[in-house]
Every structure is written in C-alpha cells, then in structure tokens.
Amino acid sequence: MTRKQLVQAIIFIGIFLVALIPVSYIVRTNGDVKDRFSGFYAEEKNTLDIVMIGSSPVFPYYSAPKLWGETGIAAYPLSSNVQRPAAMKYLVKEAQKTQAPSLYIFEMRMYTMEDEGLSENMAYTRGVTDNLKYSRNRVETIQALVPETEERLSYYIDLFKYHTNWKMFAFASEWGNWRYEKKNKLKGFFVKDEVGPTPMPTAGGIEGELAIPEEQEAYLRELLQYLQENKLQALFIVSPYGISAEDQQMFNYMSGIIEEAGYHFLNMNNYYEEIGIVFEEDFADYASHTNAVGAEKCTAFLEEYLLANYQFTDKRGNDRYDSWDKAYELWLDELEKASAVIAEHIANEDYAEIEG
Amino acid sequence: MQFLSYYFIILWVLAFALYYLFPKKMQWYVLLAVSLLFYVIGFHGIPYALLITAVTTYACGLYLKKSLETQKAGEAQCSDKEQKKAVKSAFEKKRKRVQIIYFAVNLGLLVFHKYTGNIIMPIGISFYTLTAISYVIDAGRENCEAETNFLKVLLFLSYFPAITQGPFHRFTHMKEQFEAEHEFNYEKMLRGIQRFVWGAFKKLVIADRIGIFADRVFGSDTSAVSGSIYACAVVFYMLQLYADFSGYIDMAAGISETFDIALPENFKRPYFAKSVAEFWRRWHITLGTWFKDYVMFSFVMSAPGRKIGKFCKKKWSLLGKHIVPILGTMLVWFFTGVWHGRTINYMLWGVYYGLIMSLSLVLEAGYPVWKQKLHIKEGKGYQLFCMVRTWAIVFAADVLIRSESLAQAGAVFGAFFTRFHVTALVSSAVTSYGLSKYDFLLLFAALIIWLAVSILEERGNDVRAYLSAKPMPVRWICYYVIVLLLLITGIYGGNYDTAVFLYQSF
C-alpha cells in the first residue's frame, strides 16, 4: 500500500463519516422532541437567558413566547418525554456549548421514580440521546444512560435504528434538519387544547419527608455539584399536577438537599390558589399536563417568581430576537384558538380519551 | 454468525490483519483457525457432523491413495493384460466398498439432519457434505492427490466464506491457493471489499425488501389475492432468490478475495439465458457441475449405465441414444430437488426441470431444421422470445417452491386464469403487502442499477475495473451512492431478521 493510497483511503472514509452525520439527522424520527432540540441548536449563540430542563411537565406548561413577549426574557425548554434525571447534567453541558444562560430551571417530577423503571423503555433514553448532536458529550451521555456496553452501538450510531425513516428524504422540509438546526416557531412550547378534568389534589402543602430513590438522589447531588463547580445559577421547580402525599413528601426531601446547596426550590403544588389553576379545566389529561389555558397561568406565575428573585435584562427591541417576537405573535394566535377549543370541550363535556 | 453482523465484521478485520502479519507459509493456519472460530462463535461450537465428515473424508482419501499406489505396484509386477485387469478389478471392488461406506455415513448424516425434521441442522451441512464427496470421488478417479495433512482437509471443508452457502469448490483448486504465499495487495483488498458491499446491497436493499412483499402475498388468504398480485409476487420471488443467493456469493467471494483466495463463480446473470439448459449453466453453477461430474457422469459411466445405453441403442436406434442421458438427467434433477428441500413441492420442482431438460435433449437436434422451415432468424427479437420463454418456465417452477403447499400452488395457478385483475397492480392493493410506494420506487431504482451492472458484465466488462478506470470523483460518488443506499435503505435492524439467507435453509 503506497502512501498516496493510504491518504486517499483515509480521506474517503473521513468524507463518508462526515456525510453520515446530516443523513442521520434527517432520518431521526420526527416529532415535537426533535423539533424542540433542533430548535435549541438553531438559536443564536449566547442569546438565551434561561434553559429549562426536564420531562414533559416543561414544554406544555411554560410558554417561552409568553415569557418573552411580556418580560423580554428568552427561555428555551431542552426537554423530552419522561426525561431521566441521569441525563440532566449532560443536557446542561450540551447547553453550555452554545449558550450562557443566567439561569437553569430543572423540573423535578421524574426524581420521584425509580430509574430502573425509566430505563426499561428505551424511548425515554433515546428521547435525549437521539436528539443530541454528535459530540463527545453525546457519547458520555450514552455511556451514563446505557449501562450495557453491547447495546450502545445503535445509540452511538442512531442511523442503524432510524434508517427505516429513509422516506423522509422524499420531503424537502426534512432536509432542513441536515445540521440539526431548525428554528422552532413556538420556541419549544407545545400547545394542548384537550380537557381532562380531575378534582384538585389535596396533597399540596403536606409536610414531612420521604427519601427519593437512592440512584435519583445520587444524580441530584451530582447535578448540584456540577452546577456549583461551574458556578451556574439554578432553580428547581415542580409543576402543578395530580400530586400524591407520597410525592409531596419526596419533594420536601429534595428541597432540603437543594436548598442546602444554595439553590431555590419552588413546588408549585403549594400555590394552586396563587396560580389560579383549575384542575377541572386547565389540564389536558387528568392532572398530568396542562392545556394552553393552564400553561398560561403557570407561565404567569413562574414569570412573577423569576422577576422577583432573579435579574434579567429585557431584550425586547433587540434585532437578534426577531424570531422571538414572531413566536410571541404566533403564540397569541394559537392561544386564542386553543382557548376557544378548550371552552367548547368544557361546555360539551367532551373530555380527552387517554390511550392505554 | 452471519456475514452481516457486527461480530463477523470484527472477526474479518482481525483475521485479515493476522493473515498478512503471519509468516506466509503459515497463512493457511490462520484461515483454519478463523474458520473454526467462525463456527464456535457463530454457531456455539463445532458440530460433530462436520468433524465426522472431516475425519472420514481424510481417512477415505488416504485409503484411496494407498490403494491406488498398491494397485499400481501390483500391476507393475503383472506379466500380462489379463492379470493386470484382475488386479485392477480386485482393488476397484475394495475401493468401491469403502467409498460406499463413506457415502452411507456422510449422506446418512445429511439425510438424518435435513429430512427428519427433529434435529437442529448443522449450518452448511448440505454444502460441506457434497464438497467432501467431490474430494473423495476425485481422489478415487485420480483427479486429485489425496491430502496427507488432516488440517488441510478440515480447512477445505470448513473454509468460512463458503461454508454456509457455497459455492462448491474443488480440492485441487483450493489446495493450491491455500498453500500459496500471499502478499498484501491493496487493490485486491479493495476489490474484495467492493464485491462484499455489492453483495450486501443486493441482499439488504433488493432481496429483503422484495421478500416482504412476497411473504405477505403468500401468507395471505389465497382467495383474497388476485392473480396479477400473485404474478408480481412470483416475479419478485424470482428476483429475491437471485439477489439473495448471488448477494451472499458476492459477499463470500469478496471476503475470500481479501485473503487473495479466489472462489469459483456461481452465477453468470442467469436471466439472460435463452434456454432452461443455459439458465442452469448460469445459476448455481457449482451445484450444476457437481451433479454433472458426480451424479450424471458416475451414472452414465457406471456398468449399469453402459448396459442400459447399449441395450437402448440396439432396441430404439433413433431415440435409444437419448435414454441414458435422460435417465441421468432425471436422476440429477430428482436429487437436485431433494437437496433443496424435503417437501413434495421440491421433489415436483426437480421432476419438472428434469422433464423439461429431457425434452430439450430429445428435441435439440430438430431445432435447426424447424427454424429453417419456419424461417426463424436468430435476431434480437428471437433472442428476446427465448429469454421470455425461459423466464416463463422458471416462473412456473418458482410458483411450486414459493407456495407453502401443493394446494396453494394450485390455487395460485388457478388465480392466474380465473381472477388475474391486472388493474390490481396499479391500485392501492399493491401497497397493502408491506411495501409503500416509496419502497417500490426505491426497488425500481435499485433494480435499474443492478440491471445496468449486469448488462455491462454480460458484455464482458469487469465492472470493478471499469469503475477503477474512471476519475476519482466519479468512482467515489458511485461508491458513496451504493454504500449510503445500503446503510439508509437496507432492510436491517431490530424489526428484521434478514441477516439469514434463503439458501442457508437448503
């Protein structure tokens, strides 16, 4: 083998591996999670004030366009369904590559669950790993979330899993994901217009503590350590939902650890009245996730809390945030439509059907 | 262990590195070690059947060698022809008895595993058993020198690129290559990898995609499927079988090429054939030559075969000369059918081809006369007619073997005549058998690529050399297109078990 042949072979393989990256980005499964993550990567560098990390009690609860439109704070959710707490530290690292937010907000609902249960369904793990750009941090995330070495290959090269989506190449709109950067029109917010009523839970405000699962506590402490070492400001929240007494006590336990580390802990289940949340009307799926009306109330409450406890610069009027202005306009439109649909559901007692 | 698995790729890379790092005289040891490792890792141990075959083949070969040497020594001491004949006859009888025991043991193992249905069939048993038999017969006929080194016999039988589906290789051809000293050659390595990738493309993009459609159609309620959909499924099956098997052979040959070992060619674009006989000289070539050399030839040259031939020529002078070749043909095709599968469908398939080939034998002499009388010129139109005629014959045979039972085969043929419904092919019905319109478009594109390559090869071009001669950007684009198509559109992953090849079950 001559030197020229060796160089040619290396270049050939190199070009091929590089070409595989956009190909695998395009065939990754479509959905709101992909849109949210690729929307995050599309945000201009160092323009975000807040990055919100956590599972599904983030993206239907907190409207980033509303927060922007009313306060000029740019917040973006880097969240996925049933996001495992083990992933949070790595998501912070990922966010730090392109942003320097003055605050990270962590939604804590998943910390009450055993990680073993969360790791049984690979979709929960892949919601994070298969929506990150290829990088060393992604490799480390996979190593942390997938303990069985022999299973990691299809995570490292997710093309092996998603190549069956090759038909996406037939749609020009999908080619926009070739760099995994595609602006999200609503800045990651997800509008729900269903109604699933339940009575208001009574566990909010309950005292007492119950230890969270051991491994989740370890992940929490690891996250806190990472935040402290890197001097990152953080707020830990629990969104309103059909909380049980057991869960409430676990959140009380968590708040002890978090406040000891010097961070704020906001359990919104202690503030139903202040939020103005109505469980019979403001939830899409029986006290699990808010609909658009409930989201507006939760966002308003969080907005107030943020302004009272943290310092942000109002960036409205800054040219770099034109897309945020558009997102706000669009959100207002979507909210109006969703509110009308929600009102109709309530009037007709036409409630959501839950699958499974 | 399948070729298209992570473990095999790692094994191949390690084997390749060791092969060229080892002293050249020891390279065949590396191949042997890798072959045995291939079995151990992939199939959880070396099956006792392979070991029995290897030991009996080695022992029988040595016995035949010794017997021939002793016979020649004895003949040299004889004073006249009659004595020499007697000596020869005595030794031949003994050798025949030993060979019969050998065949009984090894064919018995094959029949036991393949046709009883109760035992797990050792991978490759159909292939290595016939390969071993070819060695013993050739040693007996003095077409090859019996090997004194057991490990070389074991390597010959267990050579990993060819063990699961062939091609059938001959001892002399392989021994020379195993014993030769092989220098690393970058171009040869590239050619081997190219052929492997091409085979994987045929398997994963074409064969396994087509297989989804064919499986769904033949798995559906027979009364609900129109004749045109069945026809499409059978045509697809014909292509699937070809793409799957020739794809495997390309992968096997490509792997072997990287070790500078050439395997015999097994396919020569069979669908360009203009007769069934030519089709079978282009399809699974090594199986055809095996049956010709070891069944047909053995029968024709045997004492009973010659007696029958003499008798028939005397009794029916014109037709009589065809009787023995016809009997040989029917025998070959019966065994070919049985070799492929144990169901009645396969036996009928074998008989079907036997009859067609026998008919061809009888009618062959008359073709030039009829063509002259009918003023048929052998232009492009006639050649196309011959190809289409061949496809039709193969099509009918493949209905038999693709159908899950004789009853289904009958129902399929019935559907062709009673409810063909050609419009079903352009309706939404055609996309209700597992393939979307995008799959069909992709298949069409892949088949066009394959056809283009086949046409180039049929015209005598070495496609890999043809590409190598192109400017680098053109070459690289072609390579990238094939590899990306394979990786992105190939049928593989958690939902599929298509690393298994169709001919592996034979």
Side-chain angles (χ1 to χ4, degrees), chain A residues 34-244:
Chain A
K34 182 179 181 180
D35 292 343
R36 193 169 308 115
F37 273 69
S38 63
F40 170 80
Y41 288 115
E43 289 300 320
E44 258 193 71
K45 249 190 161 179
N46 299 326
T47 52
L48 297 179
D49 297 307
I50 297 172
V51 172
M52 299 186 73
I53 292 173
S55 58
S56 54
V58 172
F59 49 87
Y61 273 80
Y62 306 103
S63 167
K66 174 181 164 70
L67 194 60
W68 166 261
E70 293 173 1
T71 64
I73 298 172
Y76 199 100
L78 204 52
S79 66
S80 55
N81 297 309
V82 197
Q83 192 177 92
R84 290 167 59 193
M88 286 189 171
K89 183 182 84 174
Y90 298 95
L91 288 166
V92 173
K93 283 189 184 180
E94 193 68 14
Q96 289 291 104
K97 288 181 192 172
T98 53
Q99 301 293 336
S102 40
L103 182 70
Y104 282 94
I105 298 179
F106 299 96
E107 215 291 337
M108 304 302 285
R109 198 186 293 186
M110 289 297 116
Y111 278 86
T112 59
M113 298 185 190
E114 303 272 352
D115 193 55
E116 195 184 332
L118 298 178
S119 59
E120 267 166 15
N121 187 334
M122 74 158 102
Y124 304 152
T125 303
R126 286 189 174 274
V128 173
T129 61
D130 295 352
N131 285 297
L132 294 176
K133 279 189 176 186
Y134 286 108
S135 66
R136 191 178 159 168
N137 184 45
R138 183 175 179 271
V139 171
E140 288 171 2
T141 308
I142 291 166
Q143 288 169 342
L145 299 185
V146 185
E148 300 85 8
T149 329
E150 61 273 11
E151 285 183 22
R152 288 178 188 164
L153 185 62
S154 76
Y155 284 83
Y156 291 140
I157 312 173
D158 56 58
L159 180 65
F160 290 156
K161 177 153 179 70
Y162 298 117
H163 72 281
T164 47
N165 294 333
W166 60 269
K167 289 147 201 147
M168 301 226 269
F169 282 99
F171 302 104
S173 57
E174 294 305 322
W175 289 77
N177 270 314
W178 73 278
R179 289 178 62 200
Y180 222 65
E181 293 176 14
K182 201 171 159 199
K183 276 253 187 327
N184 189 296
K185 288 184 181 159
L186 281 174
K187 301 300 177 188
F189 178 60
F190 192 85
V191 177
K192 284 182 183 275
D193 61 10
E194 300 91 4
V195 178
T198 49
M200 183 182 292
T202 53
I206 276 181
E207 287 178 3
E209 290 184 359
L210 188 63
I212 60 175
E214 246 177 71
E215 70 280 7
Q216 304 295 23
E217 183 171 335
Y219 292 135
L220 175 58
R221 291 188 184 279
E222 209 182 296
L223 175 64
L224 289 168
Q225 187 184 354
Y226 179 80
L227 293 168
Q228 285 169 331
E229 281 169 1
N230 291 276
K231 298 184 176 46
L232 299 172
Q233 184 61 273
L235 167 66
F236 295 79
I237 68 172
V238 183
S239 311
Y241 74 108
I243 194 170
S244 67

Side-chain angles (χ1 to χ4, degrees), chain B residues 376-403:
Chain B
I376 292 172
K377 288 195 179 117
E378 291 198 22
K380 286 211 161 80
Y382 177 73
Q383 289 184 18
L384 182 64
F385 161 75
C386 291
M387 279 167 60
V388 171
R389 179 191 61 191
T390 307
W391 298 342
I393 293 170
V394 173
F395 175 96
D398 282 1
V399 171
L400 260 180
I401 55 171
R402 183 57 192 83
S403 298

Side-chain angles (χ1 to χ4, degrees), chain A residues 1 5 8-9 11-12 15-16 20 23 153 159-160 163-164 166-167 169-171, chain B residues 6 184 186-187 209 436 438-439 442 472 476 479-480 483-484 487-490 492:
Chain A
M1 191 179 193
Q5 285 171 335
Q8 276 185 347
I11 293 173
F12 179 85
I15 292 175
F16 178 70
L20 272 189
V23 163
L153 185 62
L159 180 65
F160 290 156
H163 72 281
T164 47
W166 60 269
K167 289 147 201 147
F169 282 99
F171 302 104
Chain B
Y6 307 130
F184 170 72
Y186 179 70
E187 295 297 338
R209 179 165 270 106
S436 67
Y438 298 107
D439 286 302
L442 174 67
M472 193 175 79
W476 283 22
Y479 299 150
Y480 284 143
V483 178
L484 281 174
L487 279 181
I488 299 167
T489 68
Y492 65 91

Side-chain angles (χ1 to χ4, degrees), chain B residues 280-332:
Chain B
W280 285 102
R281 286 195 297 273
R282 289 173 176 250
W283 179 287
H284 206 349
I285 298 166
T286 59
L287 179 70
T289 51
W290 193 95
F291 273 106
K292 185 184 75 153
D293 291 347
Y294 304 113
V295 176
M296 179 73 135
F297 185 77
S298 299
F299 171 71
V300 167
M301 296 309 292
S302 66
R306 278 178 292 169
K307 262 190 195 149
I308 295 170
K310 241 185 198 170
F311 173 80
C312 292
K313 272 183 206 167
K314 239 189 206 173
K315 192 106 181 162
W316 306 288
S317 58
L318 200 63
L319 210 59
K321 62 178 178 177
H322 294 300
I323 299 293
V324 169
I326 286 172
L327 285 174
T329 300
M330 290 306 297
L331 201 64
V332 162

